[in-house]
Amino acid sequence: MNLTDLLKSVEIDSIRPNQIETELNEIDINKITYHSKEVETDTLFVCIKGHQTDGHNYAKHAVSQGATVIIVEQFIEDLDVLQLKVSNSREVLAILSSNFFDQPSKSMSLFGVTATNGKTTITYMTEEIFKAYQLKSGIIGTIVVKIDKEIEMSRLTTPESYDLQQYFAKMRDQEITHVSMEVSSSALELKRVYHTDFDVVAFTNISPEHIQLHDSFEAYFDAKASLIRTASKMSTAILNLDEQLLIPLAEETAAQVVTFGIENKSGTITVSDIRFSSGMPSFKVTIQEPFNTLSGERIEPTSFDLELSIPGYHSIYNALTALVTGLVNDIPLEYVQRGIKNFRGVERRFQILYDKEFKVIDDLLLNQNNIDSCMETINHLDYNELHLVHALRGSNGPAHSTEIAESLAKWFHELKISKIILTTASSHVAKKDAVTDEELAAFLKVMKQSNIEVTFSTELDDALRFGVERLNEEDVLLISGAHSMDQGARKTLELLKEIYPTVDYEAIDQVLENKFIGIDSFKVAEKIKNFSLGI
């Protein structure tokens, strides 16, 4: 691509050398990269300052590999190549990437959601609505990047801007019309979605889970809020009014704002007559104020019923976000209702692994909100005894362990649980995620103070076996934890077959067949290949 076209909308502070022999419009760029190892002839290399490395340190290597133009935030001495100095190279990378792929996000209806909890569930639920209306759709998120029937395992919740725009271009080329994507606070702060054309954006909840990635909770909130604040006047912003911090954002965006609430009844949409059947909510939705679809059609006030196939009070908020997204995308109500009803959940997000003579549930329990949502959902279930196997999360410090333990202890007393099976899953975590002695001690201290009996094992397999062996009819086994429990579902289901010969093997094998998380890379590749081929 011609360099002048590539630099459209890019603000260049200065150029070195000051006098260049070739005009910018005579320079052709065949590739953009921010990794020096990926440089080829006629590459534009963008120097990105990261938390651990600085791309400026690799500029000379990039030039030696064939880079002909370098984007920098400070000029690099003794470098015989065209350098374009900018104030924020991350922003520029996003603009360049969008230009390089001919602004692909404008070619589809793009929905982006940010939240501390529920992003993955909302994107998958929205995907079910798109599928119900037989739209060609895609997903970009924590677990996978999905392009119609093609799947790729994700490396980041929200990819780096070049990779993101490349995905959009691939989606456009495959005639994808609707895309749902998770937008993390880090992605917003690091400008990964800068220059991306969102049609619908949503901000549904916030709690101080990821503030270690930001300077403060206020910085964390502002990063997420930027998705709403920068939304265009042609787009729609969806806000949950039951989150007090989100209410002012309705006045801080140019977008059409659609609000909802369960406790707060002042929004565009409200809910009543909530009922739970085996933990699955159904309720009446009332549209109190009209709003417009993306095509300009008017959605008038009305009431209707909505029924979910996943449990939990928190699922109502996720469903309302997906509902508005579907309606704003001009999808008829009956297809929106069908898509929401068809949605059966996401891996490791209160995923019911087995539901016959007893229940086995898998959840992350990463923070207080996550724990509250999970335990509140369990509280709506009918069961005799709850057994919990929890894999403690490492590398987050003793304070985080204390917070998780206190949140669990509160619910243990409410649900009359007196025991927990705890593991550090030592053989199943990378060194960077290992649980420290201080983190373990902080968790155990809270359990002791709360008079909760702890059965501890360093190994995940031992802890899971201990939990499975104690299952009786009508009991619930909850397995939880971050990275170290990713393999827990597979191991637990295999233990069920080993210990209880009368379990439903077909139901268990069906769950195992559909799993992506926690299986080795070779099997993941085979699953992805088979999924893409429709096998």
Side-chain angles (χ1 to χ4, degrees), residues 42-265:
D42 296 329
T43 291
L44 183 149
F45 178 71
V46 183
C47 298
I48 298 293
K49 290 183 178 179
H51 292 297
Q52 297 180 331
T53 60
D54 185 345
H56 292 78
N57 297 332
Y58 300 91
K60 291 183 179 179
H61 178 257
V63 172
S64 71
Q65 296 300 110
T68 52
V69 180
I70 306 290
I71 300 292
V72 299
E73 291 185 3
Q74 67 262 348
F75 287 123
I76 300 168
E77 299 300 327
D78 303 322
L79 195 60
D80 186 23
V81 71
L82 176 61
Q83 299 182 53
L84 307 178
K85 184 173 176 291
V86 299
S87 59
N88 189 319
S89 59
R90 286 189 176 276
E91 281 189 7
V92 170
L93 174 62
I95 298 171
L96 293 172
S97 301
S98 179
N99 290 343
F100 187 75
F101 292 107
D102 195 21
Q103 301 180 30
S105 62
K106 293 182 180 294
S107 302
M108 59 201 68
S109 179
L110 179 60
F111 165 56
V113 57
T114 194
T116 301
N117 298 299
K119 296 188 297 296
T120 303
T121 298
I122 290 168
T123 55
Y124 275 74
M125 191 180 289
T126 305
E127 161 83 350
E128 284 294 336
I129 294 172
F130 294 155
K131 285 164 59 179
Y133 200 46
Q134 297 186 331
L135 299 170
K136 286 193 72 173
S137 57
I139 288 179
I140 298 175
T142 303
I143 302 175
V144 298
V145 174
K146 178 178 172 291
I147 305 174
D148 194 22
K149 296 186 180 300
E150 182 181 332
I151 284 182
E152 177 181 321
M153 297 303 292
S154 298
R155 294 188 299 273
L156 294 168
T157 295
T158 310
E160 187 55 80
S161 57
Y162 179 84
D163 306 307
L164 179 64
Q165 297 299 327
Q166 190 172 41
Y167 283 132
F168 288 149
K170 192 171 184 179
M171 289 175 172
R172 175 195 59 205
D173 295 345
Q174 295 192 27
E175 299 182 333
I176 297 296
T177 60
H178 291 72
V179 177
S180 301
M181 70 173 291
E182 300 178 49
V183 186
S184 67
S185 59
S186 294
L188 288 159
E189 184 168 286
L190 298 177
K191 307 298 182 181
R192 292 179 193 154
V193 296
Y194 191 76
H195 221 63
T196 294
D197 188 41
F198 287 102
D199 297 278
V200 183
V201 292
F203 189 177
T204 59
N205 62 71
I206 187 166
S207 61
E209 163 65 7
H210 303 295
I211 57 174
Q212 67 268 25
L213 302 175
H214 305 270
D215 292 333
S216 63
F217 179 79
E218 289 73 21
Y220 174 51
F221 174 80
D222 283 338
K224 286 192 170 296
S226 67
L227 182 65
I228 306 298
R229 289 169 174 157
T230 61
S232 74
K233 66 179 181 180
M234 302 301 293
S235 67
T236 295
I238 305 170
L239 295 171
N240 173 14
L241 294 184
D242 287 348
E243 288 276 355
Q244 290 290 321
L245 287 174
L246 307 189
I247 295 176
L249 293 177
E251 305 299 326
E252 299 174 11
T253 180
Q256 170 187 239
V257 176
V258 178
T259 59
F260 64 78
I262 301 175
E263 282 90 20
N264 188 327
K265 303 291 185 181

Side-chain angles (χ1 to χ4, degrees), residues 125 273 275-277 280-285 304-311 315-316 319-320 323 333 336-344:
M125 191 180 289
D273 300 333
R275 305 169 300 281
F276 288 92
S277 175
M280 311 298 177
S282 58
F283 47 92
K284 181 180 180 181
V285 176
F304 51 87
D305 291 328
L306 208 57
E307 186 177 350
L308 276 61
S309 298
I310 55 171
S315 296
I316 300 174
L320 290 172
L323 167 77
L333 176 60
V336 174
Q337 290 170 308
R338 186 183 306 166
I340 290 174
K341 174 70 171 167
N342 287 346
F343 176 68
R344 301 282 174 175

Side-chain angles (χ1 to χ4, degrees), residues 348-527:
R348 307 231 53 217
R349 274 70 174 176
F350 204 91
Q351 182 185 13
I352 300 178
L353 300 172
Y354 187 77
D355 189 9
K356 298 291 182 178
E357 57 269 51
F358 36 67
K359 284 184 174 67
V360 178
I361 299 168
D362 186 11
D363 205 342
L364 292 166
L365 301 194
L366 293 178
N367 53 50
Q368 182 179 338
N369 277 5
N370 190 185
I371 292 168
D372 289 347
S373 297
C374 176
M375 294 302 177
E376 189 172 45
T377 302
I378 288 175
N379 202 25
H380 286 291
L381 302 178
D382 294 323
Y383 63 91
N384 287 331
E385 188 174 356
L386 175 64
H387 310 274
L388 172 61
V389 179
H390 183 68
L392 192 59
R393 187 179 188 181
S395 74
N396 278 261
H400 183 264
S401 293
T402 299
E403 177 189 337
I404 295 297
E406 289 175 346
S407 298
L408 286 172
K410 179 192 71 173
W411 277 102
F412 284 2
H413 292 309
E414 185 163 335
L415 298 177
K416 296 182 173 56
I417 304 168
S418 58
K419 301 177 182 178
I420 182 173
I421 304 163
L422 186 69
T423 179
T424 49
S426 301
S427 298
H428 292 85
V429 290
K431 186 176 180 180
K432 65 181 180 64
D433 296 317
V435 179
T436 65
D437 292 341
E438 292 78 12
E439 288 170 327
L440 175 59
F443 191 96
L444 293 175
K445 179 180 179 181
V446 174
M447 293 295 108
K448 184 176 181 179
Q449 292 172 341
S450 303
N451 296 316
I452 295 167
E453 180 184 334
V454 178
T455 299
F456 174 71
S457 174
T458 58
E459 294 301 329
L460 178 65
D461 298 51
D462 295 337
L464 291 172
R465 179 175 289 276
F466 190 85
V468 171
E469 287 177 343
R470 273 141 191 81
L471 275 172
N472 294 306
E473 285 197 14
E474 306 301 323
D475 283 359
V476 172
L477 171 63
L478 173 63
I479 62 173
S480 63
H483 317 291
S484 55
M485 189 55 87
D486 281 350
Q487 296 183 40
R490 177 180 58 81
K491 292 177 178 295
T492 300
L493 292 173
E494 290 172 348
L495 282 168
L496 287 183
K497 293 198 293 186
E498 174 192 331
I499 296 171
Y500 303 101
T502 60
V503 294
D504 189 335
Y505 275 55
E506 185 177 342
I508 289 173
D509 290 341
Q510 184 64 47
V511 174
L512 290 171
E513 181 64 28
N514 292 327
K515 280 196 68 62
F516 285 96
I517 296 175
I519 61 176
D520 64 56
S521 56
F522 176 77
K523 290 182 179 179
V524 168
E526 282 296 304
K527 282 178 179 285

